[in-house]
Amino acid sequence: MTIALRKTQSPAESVHLMEIIVTRQNMWRAYRRVLANKGAPGVDGMTVGQLKAFLKRCWPKIKQALLDGTYEPLPVRRKEIPKPNGGVRLLGIPTVVDRLIQQAITQVLQGIWDPTFSDKSFGFRPGRSAHDALRCAKIYVQDGYPYIVDIDLEKFFDQVNHDKLMSRLATKVHDKRVLRLIRRYLTVGVMIGGLVSPTDRGTPQGGPLSPLLSNVVLDQLDKELERRNLRFVRYADDCVIYVRSKRAAERVMESVSRYIARKLRLKVNLDKSAVSHPWWRPYLGFSFTSRRDNPRIRIHSISIKRMKQRVRQLTSRSGGRSLQQVIDQLNQYLKGWWNYFGKAEIAAGFKSINYWIICRIRAIVWKHWKNYRTRIRELKKRGIPHSKAIRVGCSRKGPWRMSKVKWVAFALPRAHFISLGLFLPGPPSA
């Protein structure tokens, strides 16, 4: 049932917000989004592919429970994801049904909250991206703000205070059923090893609702920074403030950290937070060149290092994969990586990176040629003179050293791997 609102009444002010959430149009849009995102099953084991048949049988009952305010979500499933810089990120994976309901809630609340968010907030917002955040940061550097206050919130998603979040939500959401349901999602608990542990704080990462709730919490920080007339950029919980001098940056670091602890009840990680320059400190994987009159966005060295670490894993010479399987897995990663980092205005150094990638794959081929007879035969087949093929094929050097030998490079040139479909990151000249 759809409830018509008075012209002077916004959806946020309506006490019938749940009726708007469960409309056919909103639920169908949420279903398509959940289907597109795929994702692992929750504690009940239901997959995305099984959702449609389940909803045909059970949706009327679930819908009525939502409207009555009696719906009880299931606990989330705990999953640990390794972080690139060490440690793990704790994900809480809701059931597919709960993901659908959370997505439907998010779609309605997004329309209520998003117009009120700061222009300097870019994470998890429609029509905004990390690249937009970088362009905003570049303007600050161009305008003469060469110092940054990089604030790292310690385990932000695990530390959000529920009471602070709910009171903030209640300023715009007046349907008590929606508020109660959101609190249930926050406190439903996490299943670890078959046992459910209660959650008294945090917004578990892994559900569609969590990103919006994080923006609701941190919007209070945005408003405080705007009140102080500070230049800042925030993407999710990554907030960087731009100032003119080191002394001013140190003052801002101290006062903003104090505000976050007292007002938001969150912890600032002092070991990872710092006062620095935008050409030294990475932000969203990028940094800037040090020319203040014309700074340009570049890929930070840490991002290159992480990419090479992942390529090493994908081109491991163990595992018994065919060359085509290696290339297909490598392409999937490199295309996604370049789709993000290809927005850099400077992409120097990719000739050496691509040469390194080719050598990694050559080493796999060399190992596939298991003995000297096979190596000699394959080298001769590829046009290497008989005497050279024997000398190279009988070498006792390992695959990595052989991948850089001239005659192996002639036999297995870059063009050969490109003909097999290999994607190499970087500008066309790389």
Side-chain angles (χ1 to χ4, degrees):
M1 177 176 64
T2 302
I3 301 297
L5 303 176
R6 298 193 307 269
K7 291 182 179 179
T8 57
Q9 187 182 35
S10 71
E13 294 169 329
S14 173
V15 293
H16 301 292
L17 195 61
M18 186 61 82
E19 278 77 6
I20 299 172
I21 289 169
V22 299
T23 56
R24 181 179 179 84
Q25 182 181 9
N26 189 55
M27 293 305 304
W28 178 244
R29 184 177 155 215
Y31 172 77
R32 286 183 295 179
R33 186 66 181 268
V34 170
L35 212 61
N37 290 341
K38 299 179 181 179
V43 295
D44 62 352
M46 185 189 299
T47 65
V48 173
Q50 297 169 322
L51 179 59
K52 186 175 182 178
F54 176 82
L55 291 175
K56 283 183 178 179
R57 297 192 311 270
C58 302
W59 173 243
K61 185 178 178 181
I62 295 171
K63 180 179 177 181
Q64 192 58 52
L66 290 168
L67 293 172
D68 293 343
T70 58
Y71 179 81
E72 294 287 346
L74 290 175
V76 299
R77 181 168 66 87
R78 171 68 81 220
K79 185 173 183 181
E80 296 183 351
I81 304 293
K83 290 183 178 180
N85 55 352
V88 293
R89 177 177 287 109
L90 300 178
L91 294 186
I93 303 175
T95 65
V96 178
V97 174
D98 283 325
R99 291 211 294 273
L100 173 72
I101 296 168
Q102 286 191 31
Q103 181 62 38
I105 296 170
T106 301
Q107 288 167 181
V108 173
L109 295 192
Q110 191 89 49
I112 295 168
W113 279 94
D114 197 76
T116 69
F117 288 152
S118 169
D119 286 340
K120 302 303 181 288
S121 164
F122 294 90
F124 310 130
R125 296 183 61 188
R128 287 169 171 255
S129 68
H131 301 127
D132 296 324
L134 286 164
R135 283 188 283 270
C136 180
K138 179 181 174 180
I139 292 171
Y140 292 146
V141 179
Q142 277 179 324
D143 289 347
Y145 294 86
Y147 285 88
I148 61 171
V149 179
D150 189 351
I151 298 175
D152 184 273
L153 298 176
E154 185 175 341
K155 296 181 179 178
F156 166 71
F157 286 93
D158 300 326
Q159 297 297 328
V160 170
N161 184 280
H162 289 171
D163 292 334
K164 293 284 290 182
L165 170 56
M166 294 309 301
S167 64
R168 184 87 173 153
L169 280 172
T171 61
K172 295 185 184 297
V173 178
H174 297 165
D175 190 326
K176 301 297 183 184
R177 295 168 300 176
V178 176
L179 293 173
R180 281 197 300 268
L181 180 57
I182 292 174
R183 185 175 278 277
R184 284 173 189 156
Y185 276 123
L186 293 173
T187 60
V188 69
V190 178
M191 184 171 284
I192 305 173
L195 298 175
V196 178
S197 301
T199 48
D200 58 356
R201 60 176 54 241
T203 60
Q205 296 184 74
L209 193 55
S210 183
L212 175 63
L213 297 182
S214 70
N215 272 335
V216 170
V217 171
L218 292 175
D219 182 59
Q220 195 171 348
L221 173 62
D222 297 342
K223 296 297 190 288
E224 176 64 17
L225 297 179
E226 288 175 344
R227 188 187 68 79
R228 299 184 187 190
N229 200 30
L230 292 170
R231 279 82 179 163
F232 72 96
V233 178
R234 184 176 66 79
Y235 188 91
D237 58 332
D238 292 326
C239 183
V240 176
I241 304 167
Y242 292 77
V243 294
R244 291 192 185 275
S245 69
K246 184 177 181 180
R247 187 174 176 183
E250 289 169 348
R251 285 200 309 269
V252 168
M253 171 67 83
E254 184 181 351
S255 64
V256 172
S257 297
R258 190 165 55 245
Y259 174 85
I260 289 171
R262 290 180 179 177
K263 297 294 184 180
L264 302 184
R265 300 184 192 175
L266 297 170
K267 290 183 180 179
V268 174
N269 190 328
L270 298 179
D271 294 330
K272 293 184 179 180
S273 301
V275 169
S276 185
H277 292 291
W279 40 89
W280 292 345
R281 190 88 172 173
Y283 185 58
L284 302 176
F286 295 86
S287 59
F288 297 91
T289 56
S290 56
R291 281 191 61 180
R292 298 183 190 182
D293 59 331
N294 184 28
R296 300 176 71 187
I297 300 171
R298 65 180 177 187
I299 305 170
H300 196 275
S301 58
I302 290 176
S303 300
I304 297 290
K305 183 179 178 181
R306 288 175 181 169
M307 181 267 282
K308 294 180 79 172
Q309 183 179 357
R310 181 60 179 149
V311 170
R312 284 190 186 94
Q313 294 171 351
L314 292 171
T315 55
S316 168
R317 293 187 288 278
S318 61
R321 298 167 298 163
S322 69
L323 178 62
Q324 196 60 56
Q325 286 175 322
V326 172
I327 288 175
D328 290 345
Q329 291 174 1
L330 194 57
N331 281 352
Q332 186 176 7
Y333 171 72
L334 289 176
K335 286 178 180 178
W337 188 90
W338 184 244
N339 187 50
Y340 179 75
F341 285 102
K343 306 298 183 185
E345 296 168 337
I346 292 181
F350 273 93
K351 283 188 178 180
S352 62
I353 290 172
N354 288 342
Y355 170 73
W356 175 80
I357 292 173
I358 292 293
C359 287
R360 294 287 306 176
I361 302 176
R362 274 195 203 124
I364 293 173
V365 176
W366 190 257
K367 189 176 181 183
H368 284 176
W369 298 345
K370 293 185 178 180
N371 54 56
Y372 74 91
R373 290 189 181 89
T374 303
R375 290 166 181 169
I376 293 170
R377 184 177 69 248
E378 292 294 339
L379 289 169
K380 288 173 66 177
K381 188 191 299 183
R382 287 163 171 77
I384 306 303
H386 178 76
S387 60
K388 305 294 184 185
I390 291 176
R391 191 177 72 183
V392 173
C394 293
S395 173
R396 294 186 178 183
K397 294 177 183 177
W400 176 243
R401 291 184 66 185
M402 292 304 298
S403 71
K404 292 178 269 190
V405 170
K406 179 176 73 172
W407 296 110
V408 177
F410 282 172
L412 297 168
R414 168 181 168 140
H416 169 69
F417 297 110
I418 290 177
S419 71
L420 295 176
L422 177 66
F423 172 83
L424 293 172
S429 59

